[in-house]
Amino acid sequence: MTSILKNRLFWPAAILAVLLFVNVFTSNQFITVHDGHLFGTLIDIVRGSAPLILVALGMTLVISTGGIDLSVGSVMAISGAVACLLISDLGNQNAVGSVLLIIGIAIGISLLCGLWNGALVAIVGIQPIIATLILMVAGRGIAQLITDGQIINVQSSPYATMASGFFLGLPVAFLIAAAAVALIVLLTRRTALGLLLESVGGSPSASRLAGIGARRITVMVYVVAGGFAGLAGLIYSANIKSADSISAGNLIELDAILAVVIGGTALVGGRFSIAGTVLGAVLIQTLGVTVVAIGVPAQATLLFKAVVVVALCLSQSPTFREKVFGRLTPRRAAVRAEVPA
């Protein structure tokens, strides 16, 4: 039990379990089956967390190398704007082949956005927070130029399937996010890529001296982050069946960073947890649903979420637990014992 309590993911998992337990009693249908598909609050949480999971996955890889990406929300807006604009120009918006081609074009543009960020950081040498802030500001404007400042509505069943469709009884959005998670886990934990990411994040100079292509890896993670953000933007726009360049991805970069931190990834780089990121993203989405379910006033929603997040972060802090419970963890006790009086 002691080892479980010391696990960094224990408290996020415990709070998530409590929130789900609350939803069991506050929602009319927590989970049910209708026409062979799963429905209910739990499925809404899983489906709604898909865009955040995708964005947070890319953010995890970027942060693991010691960087940050503030432009993911704008990339979401660009991706959705491009897709909806092209679909609206189709003679038949239900043509599956055309819609798939447009989805590929939108994701390709998102990858180029990530390449732009990676080039500024790794080749030009601009600080990540500044480099991505450029696209964060400019990207939102680009999305509005694409849509001419209007909300573009589409009526495409194949496109809407990305957000509201089901496959084998499960939401397609969830399956897309699950496939992305599986791919990243496979690449980072079954190959040397994860070690290379942590090496670059731990010390870029040392990794270069060791023969690791730190610049190439840095560019790669920003490209991946851009692609995942673009995919999240497609799911978002498919869900509302329109391109809203102002609201799409608005402040999602902050939720993504929060999900990454809750999951145990070090902001200074060198250590990351994919499972923790997914847990953090689902926790944030569940918290948003629970706030509405228990009837918290709309004007107090953000404050309520902030209080819960602060409590969660404090519960993960060894220093805070030491001060509250007056007991050192074995590692901190050993370190203190080595310090001369």
Side-chain angles (χ1 to χ4, degrees):
M1 179 60 69
T2 302
S3 61
I4 294 176
L5 291 175
K6 291 177 182 177
N7 191 299
R8 181 177 290 272
L9 298 183
F10 171 78
W11 291 106
I15 293 179
L16 176 60
V18 171
L19 293 175
L20 291 175
F21 183 75
V22 170
N23 277 278
V24 171
F25 296 97
T26 56
S27 60
N28 295 328
Q29 290 183 334
F30 184 69
I31 186 169
T32 185
V33 179
H34 180 68
D35 292 337
H37 301 323
L38 294 174
F39 290 95
T41 302
L42 180 61
I43 300 303
D44 292 340
I45 291 173
V46 171
R47 179 166 49 194
S49 62
L52 181 55
I53 289 175
L54 290 170
V55 173
L57 276 178
M59 190 71 73
T60 301
L61 300 181
V62 170
I63 290 178
S64 70
T65 62
I68 198 76
D69 191 349
L70 300 181
S71 68
V72 287
S74 295
V75 174
M76 284 181 61
I78 292 174
S79 175
V82 169
C84 289
L85 177 65
L86 295 178
I87 290 175
S88 66
D89 289 336
L90 291 176
N92 180 13
Q93 295 189 14
N94 292 320
V96 177
S98 299
V99 172
L100 289 177
L101 177 61
I102 289 171
I103 289 174
I105 293 173
I107 293 178
I109 293 175
S110 302
L111 293 173
L112 290 177
C113 291
L115 179 62
W116 166 264
N117 286 333
L120 290 182
V121 174
I123 299 176
V124 181
I126 300 177
Q127 288 292 327
I129 192 171
I130 301 300
T132 57
L133 183 62
I134 294 172
L135 187 57
M136 175 186 178
V137 176
R140 188 73 61 178
I142 292 172
Q144 294 186 46
L145 286 175
I146 293 173
T147 61
D148 197 23
Q150 305 297 317
I151 295 179
I152 300 177
N153 298 310
V154 295
Q155 299 296 327
S156 173
S157 297
Y159 189 60
T161 300
M162 292 185 64
S164 57
F166 286 84
F167 181 72
L168 298 177
L170 296 173
V172 172
F174 164 74
L175 295 176
I176 292 174
V181 172
L183 177 62
I184 294 300
V185 170
L186 180 64
L187 292 176
T188 58
R189 298 310 182 192
R190 299 301 180 185
T191 70
L193 180 59
L195 180 61
L196 295 178
L197 291 174
E198 293 176 341
S199 298
V200 172
S203 177
S205 300
S207 63
R208 282 195 295 269
L209 292 176
I212 298 173
R215 288 183 177 177
R216 289 195 298 271
I217 291 176
T218 300
V219 172
M220 178 198 69
V221 295
Y222 280 99
V223 170
V224 172
F228 279 155
L231 185 55
L234 294 177
I235 294 176
Y236 177 88
S237 61
N239 185 47
I240 62 176
K241 298 181 180 180
S242 63
D244 187 348
S245 56
I246 296 178
S247 300
N250 186 34
L251 299 181
I252 196 173
E253 57 273 0
L254 302 183
D255 281 344
I257 294 172
L258 181 58
V260 171
V261 172
I262 289 175
T265 296
L267 279 178
V268 294
R271 185 186 74 241
F272 67 95
S273 171
I274 299 300
T277 293
V278 175
L279 178 61
V282 175
L283 173 60
I284 292 173
Q285 178 66 23
T286 305
L287 179 58
V289 172
T290 305
V291 166
V292 176
I294 63 179
V296 174
Q299 60 270 26
T301 298
L302 295 178
L303 178 60
F304 181 85
K305 291 177 65 175
V307 170
V308 174
V309 169
V310 169
L312 175 60
C313 293
L314 289 177
S315 68
Q316 289 182 293
S317 170
T319 303
F320 177 78
R321 292 200 300 268
E322 173 192 339
K323 292 182 179 297
V324 173
F325 299 106
R327 184 170 56 186
L328 289 172
T329 61
R331 179 179 297 180
R332 291 178 65 84
V335 172
R336 180 168 293 185
E338 295 175 359
V339 178

